[in-house]
Amino acid sequence: MRLIGRQRELSVLWDQYQRAATGQLRVVLLAGEPGIGKTTLLDALAARASADGAAVLRGGAFEAEGMPPYLPFLEALGQYIRAAPLDLLRAQTSTWAPALAAIFPELGLRLGEIPQQYPLPAEQARLRLFEAIAAFLAAITGPRPGLLIFDDQQWADPASLEVLCYVAGRQPSARLLVVVAYREGEAEQNGALQRAVAELTRLRVSQSITAGSLTAGEIAELAARALGAPLDPSAIHRLFAQSEGNPFFAEELLGVWNEAEALVRLPGEDEAFRLDLPAAPSLPPGIAAAIRQRLSRLAPETVTLLQGAAIIGRTFDVAVLATVMGQEPESVEAWLREAVRARLLRVEPSGAVAFSHDKIRECLYDEVTPVRRQRLHGFIGRALETDAVTPTARAGARRLTDLAYHFTRSGDRERGTGYARQAAEQALRAFAPHEAVAHYETALALIEPQDPRRGELLLGLGGAAILAGSEQQATVALAAARDWFREAGDTLATARASYRLGQAWWRLEELVPAREGFETALALARQQPGADLVRVLVELSSLLGVSLNEYQQSVAYSREALDLARRLDQPRLLAPASRTLGNLLVRSNDLAGGVSLLEEALAEAVAAGDLVEEAECHACLTVAYFWRGELHHCRETLERRAAIAARVHDLYQLRHVYSWQALCHAMQGRLAESEQALAREQTIVERLASPEPLAYLRLARGGLAFQRGEYGEAASWFDQALAGFRAIGPSTVVWYLGFSALVQAMQGQVATARAAMDELENLLASVPVGTMPAAEPLAFLAQTALVLGDRERLTRYASLLPRYEGQFHDFLIDRLLGEVETLDENWPAAERHLTTAETAARRADLIWELPRVLEARAALLLARDSRKQLARAVALLEEAGRLFERQANSREAERLRGRLRLLAEPTPPPRPAGLSPREFEVLSLVAAGKSNREIAETLFISESTVAHHLTSIYTKAGVDNRAGAVAFAIRHGLT
């Protein structure tokens, strides 16, 4: 049957199908209001694609808590699995069969016994499943194009949408068109769908279209087809106006008119129908009312059966319905034929029956009284428990979900609890934590407070909530589980609950309760040393060292964990234990020893196939390579970590990846790539409960603004970031307060900058001397003191900086030491440090730091012998200026041009009265009539520093004031 209207939409869909057929996976997001004809459009597309030889797969979702995870894929691929030739199916599933069997029980029925999958951590097992689905779809569409249709996705579950995004990202060359249809206006209620649309847009594989109303001419064609003859113009006008171009409404209105005998056939050669206006009833407002009016035309026996079917679900089996209603299947089939003829139902190729529109099922469900609805849910649950269920009934996860759903609503608390728990465990095995959380909550709501199952259910809920990224919910559940097990005297279970509770609190950056959780778990786990003890020691030592800067105890715990892991000889324990100790050694400033151990841990994780641990090793190596100034290695590890985190679909693993990428891109002068990474990170941190990733993102945004010389904007971002870090605690603030101090100094806010420096110095007093948490603030303190010309502070910092010689902490330590040595006129040491710094900056393409190094080298040359080294100094300053311009930092570039203009003036006479190079510059500018502020801006120092130099000049020149200094300058030819 020819499609009425929709030629534009069908043309877009077919164009996307043809693009997909060439090996470019495409996704079309099809929106439209209920009844607008999305399903009819999809039917037409499916028929055309099938005629083209495509593999057509269809699935959907429905609005019910009993919907199992992955339902669209279960329907689409389940149908294929049941129908595909056995040899072809075996070849297409290949090595992926064990992973696929986790959610597709049909596969085991077709292929026979499938080998069990080797136990994997939840994140990796989910990755394996996602990879298996992607590979299966690629195999199906290898020899021919594929069309995958998902309808009613306004109700899609998060797991299905995550798989869809994974397939789109990992199979860009698959010959596959995916059409995601959903109700316009209802998508906003599904946060997972909104995130999926954003991700598909980012991947640049999607196109959005909206199915709008039909035109008056198209409504006329629809009526002519339905009636067998056309309507006259006045009737068309009435039909179009009342239906508003909605084909569902138009068909319903025609049915109402026809039944009321309001359509009168006109005589003549071109027979047509006119509308008898007085006899023509209007359609009730709303699609639900229209459906109720259609149902009123059916036999009561048919409506009763349809109500029972609506309780079962969108798709149902006649045998199940017959059992539920206490009738013979043949009788039920007979009554349902009326509903099929009325286009309320359709028969699926599998033999199951489905409602033609989910709005029809919704309306029928609402018509059933609560008491009868509860009774029917019980009948359905018991029917699904029997062996009499036909092969087309739902199996596996779907059957468990249905059983939990129906028994819960039937009032059978015992059965509801049992099946809800099984459904939760099955959802976790299927790596659908959001659905598992819902099932655990259902089970807990059904049991009595003292039920012996409560502890395990709470523990399960807490673990599922962590996997689902709902850490606040996890802390509540796990604290209750810990208390429950403690009261019951179950030591190991209390340890497990305390351990998971510590993890949940740490993810929220609540460090005190996280520590309490781990320490409680440690005391209990020591009673039976084993794998649990290794895991607790790893987490506790990481918390103490990484978040609380307590290195002595953390290193001791991590060594204990590594020793025990080696004795247990379990590869999956050895890698995290090695990684933890390596990371703590790095942070203790043993970079060589720590990196070596981290690289060993990475090799162990790769050998064990532990992708999550591999990502953690890359995270630690990223920081270590950064501190060694090896930004190329740093970027490589970041890219590998991002790739793994994206594959395992774990947002928590991605919490810092793109902020770090943004900073590394910026430091190497790739500003556009930096902005893109920040935009990508924003979409991730918005979905995390922890405040720390958002604070770090704001810090990165401030760093990029600082690099461009936009100091006011940078200060604003740093203030926002610090507010987040302060909420976590001083052990976090110490890492980042230096950013604020420096940017205030750069803006000439001397008092504010010094106040921040004072606070930072106080925080440093609680940090172990010589460790990495001291290096970062020290580097910023030294840079800020250089900007302020604060020699007293510089002297204090200079004694501490040599511990970090050769390292990079947003600034090259050797450059800072070189500038201090230049001020102290220790020329050989200054030359050595600055040469080392320039080599490091050029090797790592540190466009952020290199201009500062070059300016420091120019200052050294001019201080040692400005006459002989002038040309070389000018060349260095010119290169530094070009590098600032490459960073879009016109402010710093202009400052250097000012310095170059000064140097271009005639060579000044020898410095009189033992004036230092900087004092000589200040006196020359005083003689030129410059104010202290103008001198500060020209020389890029603070006004207080200018005043300090003037005091020294007065003493050396033997004068009392500015006028005397000018006279002194004139006598010595400085004007």
Side-chain angles (χ1 to χ4, degrees), residues 740-756:
S740 182
L742 177 58
V743 77
Q744 295 299 337
M746 298 293 279
Q747 295 181 99
Q749 304 294 327
V750 178
T752 307
R754 284 182 170 157

Side-chain angles (χ1 to χ4, degrees), residues 873-875 877-878 895-905:
V874 166
L877 291 173
E878 287 175 343
R895 180 182 61 79
L896 288 184
R897 283 193 288 270
R899 293 201 67 180
L900 287 167
R901 284 193 294 271
L902 285 175
L903 292 175
E905 295 177 0

Side-chain angles (χ1 to χ4, degrees), residues 410 491 675:
S410 74
T491 300
E675 291 283 7

Side-chain angles (χ1 to χ4, degrees), residues 6 8-10 12-13 27-42 150-154 178-188 193 197 206-214 246-247 357:
R6 306 292 180 222
R8 179 191 66 84
E9 294 92 339
L10 185 59
V12 172
L13 287 165
V27 179
V28 174
L29 305 167
L30 173 62
E33 65 182 53
I36 205 66
K38 300 185 296 298
T39 301
T40 303
L41 175 60
L42 295 176
F150 288 156
D151 209 350
D152 287 320
Q153 292 304 284
Q154 68 275 2
V178 183
V179 183
V180 177
Y182 55 91
R183 293 182 188 173
E184 189 177 21
E186 294 186 29
E188 294 80 3
L193 177 59
V197 169
S206 67
Q207 178 165 345
S208 298
I209 59 174
T210 300
S213 301
L214 297 181
N246 185 300
H357 197 289

Side-chain angles (χ1 to χ4, degrees), residues 753-759 761 781-782 785 788 790-798:
R754 284 182 170 157
M757 295 172 80
D758 290 340
E759 181 186 357
E761 288 184 13
L781 285 169
L788 296 176
D790 192 330
R791 294 295 298 276
E792 179 185 350
R793 291 185 192 259
L794 271 176
T795 300
R796 294 204 306 270
Y797 305 149

